[in-house]
Amino acid sequence: MAISSWLNRLLLVLLLPSLSPANAVEFAGFDITGYGRGGVYSSPAGTPRGAYTLGGDMQKFRLGNEGDNGIEVGIGKSLEVGNNFKLGLMYMPAMWNGQSSNAQGYTSISGLSLAPEAKFWVGQRRLRIQDVHIVDRFLMDYGDNIGAGMTDMSLGFAKLGMGVFSSSTLDKSSSSPNGASRINLDLSEISVNQGGALRLLATAVRGNFQMGSQGVGLSLLHNQSDFLTAGLNNSLFLQSSTGHAGLSGQFQGLGDVATGTAEQPGQRSMRIADALNWQRGAFGGQAVAAWQTAKTDGGVNNGKSTRDIAIGARVSYAFSANFKLLTEVGSTSRSMDGQNRQQLNKITIAPTLALAADFWSRPELRFYVTHISWNAAAAAANAGGFGAGGRMANTVAGAQVEAWW
């Protein structure tokens, strides 16, 4: 039997049960979307199977460094009521490492004569704008709380989205941490140059906070296609926030007396991040460089600063339509006032089976080995985790399936 035929049969057995890539699946009149990952993981006794990070937003290079299992399934229904009016329903339960939650649940309407292209919604909705995949972080993201809003209203020069939120969620609908509320404004598709578009997200937070101020935030994103050369795409993020407004557009450091969740201080934060994405023939990948700083606003550490740096990349080379080799490297550092500088580096090599050759093709079945090393300051700061016993390095391995549809 030819190797390519053997690989195709193996992929049908292992990957197709995870559902088809890219497109929603229609079942009994419902649109089924989702994401899932899971596998088998191995690490030396007493050491974590994944999640080796210094704690910064951009510092968890995820390939061969997750060690978890979970799935999220969106169940959606769109109803044509007449005169182009549409009613939409969406519910998404999630299960991660044995813990269930309600990720989304909302109702939407569209086709109104005053703004036929706009979509109005109420409930709990994810409003994830853009992420850097290799570090598993949405840098602009203003959903995940109960609220109401609108997306995709045409202004001619741009599209407008907005949302008003409480601090409640579907899982904690009886509580409203800090009595907090938030408003977001999202301007997208602002053409500024050939192949380039600007997006702006503004955030304002109010509430009763014991540590720190209320807060505002502003994020600017410039996406450029064919950056320097054809097929290379660049995303530049410039972000700032204060108090209890988070850099991404969400809340920062809420507390809830009813559930015993301690309030965290506010922060004065800034982030500059740049991400490159490419696919040239068999060679694809993503690279990122990020700098982030946070100055504590309130509490016993008021005024103390943390500075995080992350540089890394994941590259993919396809040897055939169904087999590619993934390699990911990442270098991260954290500097905190009054402490020694922490450093953590990782490298992962992962022979991978897939349904297509490009970098973004999913599902993927990866067989990986990851080596992580860190300095004494990182070991001391993480003595209750991967740095226990003064350990300075570790190697983990596993097999993982990742799928989205």
Side-chain angles (χ1 to χ4, degrees):
M1 180 183 296
I3 292 177
S4 61
S5 175
W6 178 85
L7 284 174
N8 283 332
R9 290 180 182 226
L10 181 61
L11 287 166
L12 287 173
V13 172
L14 293 176
L15 298 186
L16 286 183
S18 300
L19 298 182
S20 309
N23 299 316
V25 176
E26 186 174 341
F27 178 76
F30 291 89
D31 290 327
I32 310 298
T33 58
Y35 173 85
R37 64 173 180 258
V40 291
Y41 312 107
S42 175
S43 64
T47 66
R49 302 182 305 178
Y52 289 82
T53 171
L54 298 178
D57 289 346
M58 307 292 291
Q59 294 191 323
K60 182 183 176 182
F61 286 90
R62 66 192 292 188
L63 181 66
N65 189 29
E66 290 173 318
D68 58 2
N69 296 278
I71 189 169
E72 303 167 344
V73 179
I75 306 166
K77 181 69 174 179
S78 180
L79 303 172
E80 291 270 2
V81 181
N83 296 322
N84 295 320
F85 183 83
K86 294 182 179 180
L87 174 66
L89 304 171
M90 165 61 78
Y91 174 61
M92 176 180 278
M95 175 75 74
W96 286 96
N97 301 315
Q99 300 295 315
S100 62
S101 64
N102 296 291
Q104 297 192 83
Y106 66 91
T107 302
S108 64
I109 59 173
S110 61
L112 300 180
S113 59
L114 70 146
E117 73 289 340
K119 302 176 182 66
F120 298 84
W121 61 270
V122 61
Q124 180 175 312
R125 180 178 182 182
R126 285 180 172 171
L127 292 158
R128 295 177 166 180
I129 293 175
Q130 190 161 318
D131 72 334
V132 176
H133 176 73
I134 61 174
V135 292
D136 197 16
R137 174 65 59 170
F138 277 84
L139 277 69
M140 295 170 68
D141 174 9
Y142 67 103
D144 290 348
N145 291 92
I146 293 175
M150 170 198 68
T151 63
D152 298 327
M153 175 176 279
S154 177
L155 301 179
F157 71 96
K159 287 187 176 180
L160 172 66
M162 65 175 297
V164 179
F165 303 88
S166 72
S167 54
S168 299
T169 64
L170 291 176
D171 291 325
K172 297 180 180 178
S173 58
S174 61
S175 65
S176 181
N178 300 105
S181 60
R182 170 168 51 88
I183 184 169
N184 296 91
L185 294 177
D186 173 26
L187 280 175
S188 61
E189 299 185 17
I190 306 170
S191 180
V192 291
N193 62 289
Q194 181 70 32
L198 187 67
R199 190 159 189 166
L200 180 152
L201 178 66
T203 306
V205 169
R206 297 186 64 184
N208 301 312
F209 302 106
Q210 299 300 312
M211 292 186 287
S213 58
Q214 299 187 85
V216 295
L218 181 64
S219 292
L220 296 175
L221 165 63
H222 182 263
N223 282 320
Q224 180 67 51
S225 61
D226 296 330
F227 177 68
L228 301 179
T229 185
L232 182 64
N233 301 314
N234 186 74
S235 298
L236 175 64
F237 299 83
L238 303 175
Q239 300 175 276
S240 178
S241 66
T242 65
H244 286 273
L247 268 180
S248 68
Q250 298 183 338
F251 292 107
Q252 157 66 33
L254 298 183
D256 188 356
V257 175
T259 61
T261 303
E263 178 185 334
Q264 300 299 311
Q267 292 182 347
R268 181 177 293 274
S269 301
M270 293 182 63
R271 177 163 61 213
I272 302 172
D274 193 81
L276 293 169
N277 299 274
W278 69 90
Q279 186 71 50
R280 297 291 296 271
F283 180 52
Q286 183 177 71
V288 65
W291 171 87
Q292 182 170 328
T293 182
K295 187 174 184 179
T296 304
D297 177 18
V300 296
N301 292 315
N302 183 52
K304 290 189 176 181
S305 294
T306 299
R307 295 163 295 280
D308 294 327
I309 295 175
I311 301 173
R314 184 191 304 182
V315 296
S316 166
Y317 187 83
F319 291 90
S320 72
N322 303 126
F323 177 73
K324 52 190 174 182
L325 181 65
L326 305 179
T327 302
E328 183 178 275
V329 295
S331 179
T332 60
S333 68
R334 165 165 280 195
S335 300
M336 305 176 70
D337 287 351
Q339 298 183 23
N340 292 329
R341 182 173 178 268
Q342 303 173 42
Q343 181 78 35
L344 183 146
N345 303 310
K346 64 91 73 174
I347 181 170
T348 300
I349 298 175
T352 298
L353 303 178
L355 295 182
D358 65 279
F359 178 81
W360 294 105
S361 171
R362 300 295 186 278
E364 285 185 341
L365 172 59
R366 308 144 175 169
F367 303 90
Y368 68 83
V369 176
T370 297
H371 181 73
I372 318 101
S373 61
W374 52 91
N375 67 1
N382 294 275
F386 60 78
R391 185 181 291 108
M392 302 281 285
N394 200 13
T395 299
V396 300
Q400 182 196 54
V401 171
E402 182 184 46
W404 54 63
W405 61 94

